[in-house]
Amino acid sequence: MADTVQAGRLPLSAQLIWPGVAALALVIAVALGWRSHLVPEPVLETLSYVSSSFLLDGAVTAIEIAALAMIGGVVIGLFLALMRLSALRPIRGAAWCYIWFMRGTPLILQLVFLYDALPAAGIRLDSFTTAVVGFMLNEAAFCAEIIRGGILSVDRRQGIAAASFGMGPLLTLRRIILPQAMRAILPGMANQTISMIKGTSIASVIFVNELTFRSQQIVGQNFKFFTVFAAAGIIYLIMTSAVAIAQFYLERNFNPEAERKARPAQAPLTALPGAVAPNAWMDTLSAGQTEGDTADAPFVVCRNVQKSYGAKQILNGLDLTINRGEVVVLMGPSGSGKSTLLRLVNHLEQLDWGEITVDGKYVGYAKQAGDRLVPTRNLAKARADARIGMVFQHFNLFDHFTALENIMEAPVRVYGEAADKMRALGISLLGAVGLSAHADHLPHRLSGGQQQRVAIARALAISPRLMLFDEPTSALDPELVGEVLAVIRRLAEAGMTMMVVTHEVRFAREVADRVVFMDEGRVIEQGPPEDVLDHPKHERTQRFLRMVEREVE
C-alpha cells in the first residue's frame, strides 16, 4: 500500500486519508486489548488522553465552531463571489474592499476586535458565538474567491446555452454553473475547512474552551507537554481526515467524466404508461405553431438592425423578413454579422438600434415614448415564451448531464413539464436523430456529430416555433457533417421555420427556400438558391462562392 501511495496511483484525497485512518486504527487496536508489553508506555499514555472526555468535548466545540462558520462563510462567500462578477462597478468594488480587508488583517485581531467592540456597541455575545461570527466573516472572504474561481472555470458558452432556452440567472447558476464549478471549488473548500478546524485554536484568545485550550489546561497541571499535545494532534488528524474522506467522495460525485449507471431495460416506449409514439418528435413542430397560422406570413422581421462591439460595427442597418415555414440560409465571410444576427433574434445580445420581431412580438423588449425599445425586466421569461430553439457551433451541451438529461432540462425546469412525459419524449427525439443507444452517455463520450444531433434534439424538446442554427457543422470532421445535415433536412421537410448559418453550399442548394448573402453587416444579395448560388449578381457574392469552391476542392 505504501508503494502505491508513493507512486501516486491513489487520488490525492485518498492519500490524505491514510494517516488519519492509521491513527484511528491504532486507537481502536489498543482499546480492543493490546497490552502494555506490546505498546510503549508513552504511547499508551498518549492514547489515554485521546479518549479523554475532557479533550473530546473540546474537539466537539472545535467542530461546532468550524462547521457553523464554514456554512455561513460559504453562503456569504457565494453572495460576495456573485457581487465580484457583477457588471456594476460599485457592487464589484464593495465586494473587493470587503475581501481585501478580511484577507489582509490577522484573524486573531478580528476576533479580539469583535469581542471588545460589540459590547461597546450594545451587542453582547458569548465567547462561542463571537468565535463563530468572527471565523464566518473571515472565511467568507476566502470562500468568495474560491467560488468565483470555480464559476470562471466553467465555459461561458454553458451559460449562453442555458439562457437561450429561457433559463434565468439563478436557475442557470444552480443547475448548470455551480454543479460544473464544484470540481474546481471542492479542493479549495476542503483546504479551508481543514484550516478552519485547526485554526479554531485561535479562539482561545477570547476564552473559548476548545481542544487546544483544554490541552493547555492539562499541561498546566501535569507538565506532560509531549503526551498531551500528541493526543491533541491525533484528535485533530482524525477530524481533518474525516474532511479529506468527504472531499474524496464529493469530488467523485461531481466528476463530470464519471460514468452514469445505465437505465434498466424497459418495455417498448409505446407500452409505457403515459408514453408517446416513436415519432412524437414530429408533434413538437405542430405544438409550437399558433392556431390560425398561415404559410408565407411574415414571422421574423428585422428592421434597420444595428449592432456594434466597441468601435467595430457588426450590423449596419440590416433589413430582413423571414416567412413562416421558410428555411433561410445565411452565408457570407467571417465577421459579416451572421452569428450576431441569430443572437439578436433570441436576445442573447442587445440591439443598439432598430427592431426585431418574432411572430409580431418583441423578444425581451418593450416600447417606450418615442418608439424607443428598452429591455424588459424578466428577459428569461421572454425568451421562454418566444420558444426559439438554438443550436450552436460548438454544441454547448451541458457537460454534467447525459444526452437524455440535456433534452429534459429546459422543458422540465423552464416550462414545468412532467419529468416522465419529457423522458419519454426525449427518448423519442433521440431515436429520431439515431441516438437511442446513447441516452445515458455524457457528452464527452459522444462524437462531435452525435453531440450536435443531441443539441438539435434538445432544441426540439421545447416545441420551438423557430430554429436557429449557428454554423452547426463547422466544428465537425467532414465525415460527421452528413449525419447532422440529414437531421436538419428532415426538419425542413417537416415545415420548421429555420435560420441556418452555414458555408455548406450543397446543403443550402438542397434545403434552403432562400439564400441570404451578407457582408459588412448588410444583406448584399438574396433569393432562391439557384439564383444566388448558381447565378450570383453581386461581385462580392461571386468572389466568396469561388473561394468556398476552392476550399471544397
Side-chain angles (χ1 to χ4, degrees):
M1 180 59 70
D3 293 340
T4 304
V5 174
Q6 290 175 3
R9 296 173 187 170
L10 289 179
L12 178 59
S13 298
Q15 297 180 36
L16 294 173
I17 290 169
W18 286 111
V21 171
L24 183 60
L26 182 59
V27 173
I28 294 173
V30 172
L32 291 177
W34 279 22
R35 295 294 181 257
S36 59
H37 68 278
L38 295 176
V39 182
E41 183 64 29
V43 175
L44 284 175
E45 188 175 9
T46 299
L47 295 176
S48 69
Y49 283 116
V50 171
S51 60
S52 166
S53 60
F54 186 71
L55 290 184
L56 291 178
D57 286 344
V60 170
T61 301
I63 292 174
E64 289 174 344
I65 293 174
L68 292 173
M70 200 68 197
I71 292 171
V74 169
V75 173
I76 298 173
L78 176 59
F79 281 103
L80 288 171
L82 296 179
M83 290 173 66
R84 288 273 279 135
L85 296 170
S86 171
L88 301 177
R89 182 175 294 179
I91 294 178
R92 293 199 310 269
W96 183 88
C97 288
Y98 178 90
I99 294 169
W100 164 75
F101 179 81
M102 298 304 290
R103 292 196 305 178
T105 54
L107 175 58
I108 190 171
L109 294 183
Q110 296 171 16
L111 289 174
V112 171
F113 175 79
L114 288 174
Y115 191 70
D116 291 336
L118 291 180
I123 303 174
R124 298 190 178 277
L125 302 175
D126 58 60
S127 296
F128 178 86
T129 306
T130 303
V132 171
V133 172
F135 277 101
M136 181 190 303
L137 296 177
N138 179 270
E139 192 61 35
F142 293 91
C143 289
E145 291 301 275
I146 293 172
I147 294 172
R148 185 174 70 93
I151 292 174
L152 291 175
S153 71
V154 178
D155 193 334
R156 183 174 175 269
R157 292 176 296 195
Q158 294 282 290
I160 294 174
S164 72
F165 289 102
M167 298 180 71
L170 291 180
L171 181 60
T172 300
L173 180 71
R174 180 170 62 87
R175 294 287 302 171
I176 307 301
I177 304 300
L178 283 181
Q180 296 186 53
M182 289 302 291
R183 193 177 190 184
I185 290 173
L186 279 172
M189 285 298 185
N191 285 342
Q192 288 301 115
T193 304
I194 290 172
S195 296
M196 173 81 72
I197 292 173
K198 296 185 296 183
T200 52
S201 59
I202 298 175
S204 61
V205 300
I206 56 173
F207 312 110
V208 175
N209 206 8
E210 48 70 57
L211 177 57
T212 301
F213 189 67
R214 291 184 177 222
S215 301
Q216 292 170 345
Q217 289 176 316
I218 295 175
V219 170
Q221 295 175 0
N222 61 17
F223 300 102
K224 296 182 178 180
F225 290 91
F226 176 78
T227 54
V228 175
F229 283 117
I234 291 174
I235 295 174
Y236 276 120
L237 187 60
I238 293 172
M239 292 190 295
T240 55
S241 294
V243 175
I245 293 171
Q247 177 191 354
F248 172 72
Y249 284 105
L250 285 172
E251 285 185 355
R252 188 170 68 174
N253 182 65
F254 284 103
N255 183 1
E257 297 181 0
E259 296 301 328
R260 304 288 184 87
K261 291 182 179 179
R263 289 173 295 109
Q266 293 181 335
L269 182 61
T270 51
L272 296 173
V276 293
N279 290 325
W281 71 277
M282 292 290 294
D283 297 336
T284 64
L285 305 187
S286 58
Q289 303 301 314
T290 304
E291 186 175 349
D293 287 347
T294 57
D296 299 327
F299 191 70
V300 180
V301 179
C302 306
R303 298 188 185 93
N304 192 26
V305 174
Q306 300 182 36
K307 178 66 180 177
S308 299
Y309 296 114
K312 182 175 178 59
Q313 186 154 19
I314 305 300
L315 294 176
N316 185 16
L318 181 140
D319 293 306
L320 181 65
T321 299
I322 297 172
N323 294 328
R324 192 181 310 279
E326 187 177 22
V327 179
V328 173
V329 169
L330 304 175
M331 303 187 75
S334 298
S336 59
K338 308 181 299 297
S339 297
T340 299
L341 177 60
L342 294 192
R343 289 170 180 261
L344 291 173
V345 169
N346 203 11
H347 201 154
L348 293 176
E349 299 280 357
Q350 190 169 316
L351 280 166
D352 291 343
W353 194 258
E355 64 178 27
I356 298 176
T357 59
V358 178
D359 197 20
K361 300 175 182 177
Y362 300 112
V363 180
Y365 292 100
K367 272 194 174 182
Q368 284 190 340
D371 287 341
R372 181 170 175 266
L373 291 181
V374 295
T376 56
R377 193 168 184 179
N378 195 341
L379 179 55
K381 184 178 185 302
R383 291 197 191 103
D385 292 342
R387 288 190 180 266
I388 300 174
M390 189 162 186
V391 178
F392 298 87
Q393 176 180 357
H394 296 285
F395 328 133
N396 293 11
L397 295 179
F398 304 133
D399 293 337
H400 59 306
F401 288 152
T402 64
L404 182 57
E405 289 168 344
N406 264 278
I407 294 171
M408 294 172 58
E409 183 66 13
V412 172
R413 301 292 173 177
V414 177
Y415 296 97
E417 298 285 355
D420 289 343
K421 172 186 173 183
M422 295 316 301
R423 183 175 290 105
L425 179 59
I427 294 172
S428 176
L429 286 167
L430 286 172
V433 297
L435 294 174
S436 295
H438 301 277
D440 298 304
H441 289 174
L442 291 165
H444 77 275
R445 286 202 55 198
L446 303 175
S447 69
Q450 289 171 334
Q451 289 190 54
Q452 195 63 295
R453 282 184 281 162
V454 171
I456 294 173
R458 179 178 67 173
L460 288 174
I462 66 170
S463 301
R465 305 170 64 197
L466 170 68
M467 285 285 286
L468 307 177
F469 292 88
D470 187 6
E471 300 193 41
T473 60
S474 65
L476 302 178
D477 293 334
E479 294 86 354
L480 304 175
V481 170
E483 60 189 33
V484 174
L485 295 183
V487 176
I488 301 176
R489 189 178 292 110
R490 291 182 65 187
L491 292 176
E493 293 169 354
M496 172 66 74
T497 307
M498 294 191 287
M499 297 176 66
V500 185
V501 173
T502 184
H503 291 161
E504 297 288 337
V505 175
R506 180 179 176 182
F507 170 75
R509 184 179 284 109
E510 292 178 2
V511 174
D513 297 308
R514 181 160 42 115
V515 174
V516 175
F517 183 82
M518 295 174 57
D519 189 34
E520 296 183 350
R522 293 177 178 273
V523 174
I524 300 300
E525 187 171 353
Q526 61 178 308
E530 57 271 19
D531 291 347
V532 176
L533 300 178
D534 297 333
H535 306 288
K537 298 181 176 61
H538 199 281
E539 185 275 335
R540 184 67 184 91
T541 311
Q542 297 171 3
R543 181 154 40 99
F544 175 81
L545 292 174
R546 285 197 299 269
M547 180 182 66
V548 171
E549 289 174 0
R550 282 197 297 268
E551 290 179 355
V552 172
E553 293 173 359

